[in-house]
Amino acid sequence: MQISIVAEGDLAVVRPKGFLGEAFFPYRDICTASGARYEDVRRVNLIAVRDLPILVDALKKGGFEPLIEKSVADSLRLRAAEHKARIAVAAEATSALKGLSLYHFQKEGVGWLRTRKRGLLGDQQGLGKTVQGLCAIPNRVDIDPVDRLGAAKVLWSAEENLTSAGPRVLVVCPAGLKLTWRNETRRWRTDLTPIVCSGRQSFRWPMWGEIVIVNYEILPEIVSPPTTPKGIILIGDEIQYVKTRQTGRGAKFYELAKCVRDQNGITWGLSGTPLVNRWEELYVVLMQLGLEKESFGTKKACERMFLYQPKGVPFVLRSVMLRRTREEVLPDLPTKTYSEIVVAELNKETRTNADAMMEMLKGVGAFDEGEHLKEDMAFMGNRAVAAAMMTSRRMLAEAKIPALVPLIEEYEDAQEPIVVFSAHRAPIDMIGKRPGWATITGDITGDVRQAVVEKFQRGELKGLGITIRAGG
């Protein structure tokens, strides 16, 4: 049986040349397993052109004869040209970095994002999605992105005549990551001014050359297109936070993102959490970014693929999402990476205590000329100072717990085991109350400790909390 394959842009239209009869079911299974999705209206299968080799090979093995039209070759040549354009865009995007460099896979991510009006960067945790997102932001609003979705090339309002201004960027992220975005912006995008919003009434739109950083909880209740500036670049970090759309932050983000797109804006999502386990949540995330039609087409088609051909889901997602794992980019990565998350939203009591502690340390000459604590720590011989120091460190450890919880949840959602160390008990005791977690503290015996370690190594725990002294 002959199968016709014709290109329509980035998609290939696949349909039988005649009546399949008993061959219909194997044909359907081959298409679905290869990542094609069925379109009810025309009764055809659609698949990304780049995934055609997988489908063609499977059809041949199944006894079918693929008839590949000339339009497919034309589409492949166009994709090759677009790839070259993405590489050029990535090179331009990173050329302004002073003393900083990206890994090769990160440059590819920058090029992929910058050439899209809508997209989902799904790299595994620790691969630098924040940096890629920042570097993908156009340097100036007169950047002309290669727009594969056919949207307008211009990112600004012609009436305002501000072609030399910097972009307007709005980042929505978990509260614990706001200062990370601020610090990374200062490091990687010195041309942008980071503005961190705190408090329910603090939301505002960015001005030209600004990157406004807000958390999901303080998004406005009502957003309307007339009040939404043109050409906003909206980045939803940890986009799985809005995997439900009916109420709360999911509903507010959906309206915000829709208004941004209606005003010729860009919507990008970042997430290191695998989204292929629950189809309802995945579809909502795609809706938040305006990607559902380009990927699965309909909600019913998404559900059907998850239920009957789950292996085809990653192939469909490749049309709207770029995801790399550590294993795939391992040659590019150092053996260890370090990142610092600043916790600034401390309660009043902790701030007051910390300020008093600093004054006490200054009073006993605890700092060197560089304003660092002296290495000999001789000041700790003062009992009053030592006691005050212990109290301050304990209060600071407790104050970090609200920022720790979202990070833990991120790894739990990604189903990645994690080990958390703390010099103080409060964070570890909190962790120990979470389902699927265990702790190692000075209270447990050697046998119990070994049993906990073995249980973690067997993959039976979500994570392990350890006090530094007990961990050795």
Side-chain angles (χ1 to χ4, degrees):
M1 171 62 67
Q2 293 181 328
I3 306 297
S4 170
I5 302 177
V6 181
E8 288 185 359
D10 284 344
L11 295 176
V13 180
V14 184
R15 56 161 58 91
K17 294 285 284 187
F19 179 66
L20 288 173
E22 294 182 356
F24 168 76
F25 292 104
Y27 166 74
R28 180 197 63 182
D29 292 344
I30 288 172
C31 289
T32 307
S34 300
R37 61 178 173 84
Y38 186 68
E39 185 186 274
D40 294 321
V41 177
R42 293 186 289 174
R43 295 185 177 182
V44 298
N45 281 282
L46 302 176
I47 189 171
V49 170
R50 67 178 179 183
D51 294 329
L52 263 181
I54 299 172
L55 175 61
V56 170
D57 184 60
L59 287 171
K60 289 180 178 178
K61 290 180 179 178
F64 297 94
E65 181 184 353
L67 298 179
I68 303 175
E69 302 293 334
K70 177 180 178 295
S71 59
V72 175
D74 294 338
S75 178
L76 288 172
R77 279 192 290 270
L78 178 61
R79 284 193 56 82
E82 287 183 348
H83 179 72
K84 289 181 65 177
R86 283 198 293 269
I87 297 300
V89 166
E92 188 277 334
T94 57
S95 62
L97 298 177
K98 297 180 180 179
L100 299 171
S101 62
L102 298 174
Y103 295 109
H104 179 71
F105 75 90
Q106 291 175 325
K107 293 179 181 178
E108 290 180 343
V110 169
W112 186 85
L113 270 180
R114 191 179 266 204
T115 54
R116 298 185 64 93
K117 297 282 278 188
R118 303 185 294 276
L120 175 58
L121 182 61
D123 285 349
Q124 194 173 14
Q125 291 167 320
L127 298 187
K129 292 183 293 296
T130 300
V131 172
Q132 292 177 70
L134 284 169
C135 292
I137 297 168
N139 299 332
R140 313 295 291 177
V141 292
D142 56 356
I143 290 294
D144 183 12
V146 180
D147 189 2
R148 65 185 292 272
L149 293 181
K153 303 283 187 184
V154 183
L155 305 183
W156 63 93
S157 170
E159 292 78 15
E160 293 176 291
N161 193 28
L162 290 172
T163 57
S164 63
R168 285 173 161 171
V169 186
L170 176 63
V171 171
V172 186
C173 63
L177 297 181
K178 289 194 294 186
L179 294 186
T180 298
W181 272 94
R182 183 199 67 183
N183 295 342
E184 292 299 297
T185 299
R186 289 174 175 173
R187 182 184 182 199
W188 292 89
R189 292 303 302 263
T190 55
D191 57 315
L192 298 176
T193 302
I195 306 294
V196 178
C197 296
S198 299
R200 294 284 177 181
Q201 304 301 318
S202 63
F203 175 87
R204 73 170 177 82
W205 293 107
M207 302 298 290
W208 298 105
E210 284 187 346
I211 175 168
V212 171
I213 305 164
V214 304
N215 52 297
Y216 287 99
E217 289 73 19
I218 65 175
L219 291 178
E221 294 290 341
I222 300 175
V223 181
S224 60
T227 63
T228 304
K230 292 183 181 295
I232 292 290
I233 300 174
L234 172 62
I235 301 177
D237 190 16
E238 301 300 338
I239 194 68
Q240 75 276 3
Y241 269 54
V242 287
K243 58 190 178 186
T244 57
R245 191 170 64 90
Q246 286 74 21
T247 58
R249 60 192 180 197
K252 291 189 287 187
F253 185 88
Y254 179 80
E255 292 302 323
L256 180 77
K258 185 176 183 299
C259 287
V260 167
R261 289 193 294 273
D262 288 344
Q263 295 299 312
N264 195 31
I266 288 173
T267 50
W268 295 335
L270 311 179
S271 177
T273 300
L275 298 169
V276 295
N277 297 324
R278 296 172 288 275
W279 74 267
E280 302 97 329
E281 296 176 356
L282 170 62
Y283 196 77
V284 170
V285 167
L286 295 174
M287 290 181 66
Q288 298 283 16
L289 301 171
L291 296 170
E292 75 282 7
K293 299 299 183 184
E294 186 187 354
S295 52
F296 291 96
T298 65
K299 189 174 182 179
K300 188 66 177 177
C302 179
E303 178 186 16
R304 189 163 54 229
M305 178 163 284
F306 264 77
L307 292 176
Y308 302 114
Q309 296 291 344
K311 292 183 179 180
V313 172
F315 293 104
V316 173
L317 286 177
R318 282 171 58 180
S319 62
V320 297
M321 180 176 77
L322 178 64
R323 177 171 173 80
R324 282 79 58 87
T325 64
R326 293 191 189 96
E327 290 76 12
E328 291 171 345
V329 299
L330 194 57
D332 278 350
L333 290 179
T335 54
K336 291 182 180 179
T337 57
Y338 298 86
S339 60
E340 183 178 286
I341 298 175
V342 180
V343 180
E345 297 179 359
L346 304 177
N347 58 58
K348 184 177 180 180
E349 182 183 6
T350 302
R351 284 184 176 276
T352 301
N353 178 273
D355 291 340
M357 185 70 247
M358 291 296 290
E359 292 302 319
M360 179 181 287
L361 290 172
K362 290 178 182 178
V364 297
F367 296 101
D368 58 23
E369 293 181 357
E371 297 187 355
H372 298 105
L373 287 175
K374 293 180 179 178
E375 293 184 3
D376 60 13
M377 300 289 283
F379 58 88
M380 291 297 285
N382 184 318
R383 291 188 177 182
V385 173
M389 177 73 83
M390 291 178 63
T391 299
S392 293
R393 293 181 66 188
R394 174 183 56 78
M395 294 179 69
L396 286 169
E398 292 172 352
K400 295 174 186 176
I401 291 177
L404 174 63
V405 172
L407 294 176
I408 291 175
E409 291 176 344
E410 180 182 344
Y411 280 89
E412 287 179 341
D413 288 343
Q415 299 178 2
E416 291 192 23
I418 179 175
V419 179
V420 178
F421 286 91
S422 174
H424 291 270
R425 283 287 298 266
I428 302 304
D429 289 341
M430 179 277 296
I431 287 172
K433 296 176 182 179
R434 298 182 68 86
W437 281 73
T439 61
I440 295 178
T441 65
D443 297 338
I444 67 173
T445 64
D447 291 342
V448 174
R449 171 193 173 108
Q450 185 59 33
V452 169
V453 171
E454 292 176 356
K455 192 173 183 180
F456 179 78
Q457 291 175 336
R458 290 195 300 268
E460 298 174 10
L461 296 174
K462 294 180 180 178
L464 187 59
I466 307 175
T467 57
I468 291 177
R469 179 170 295 182

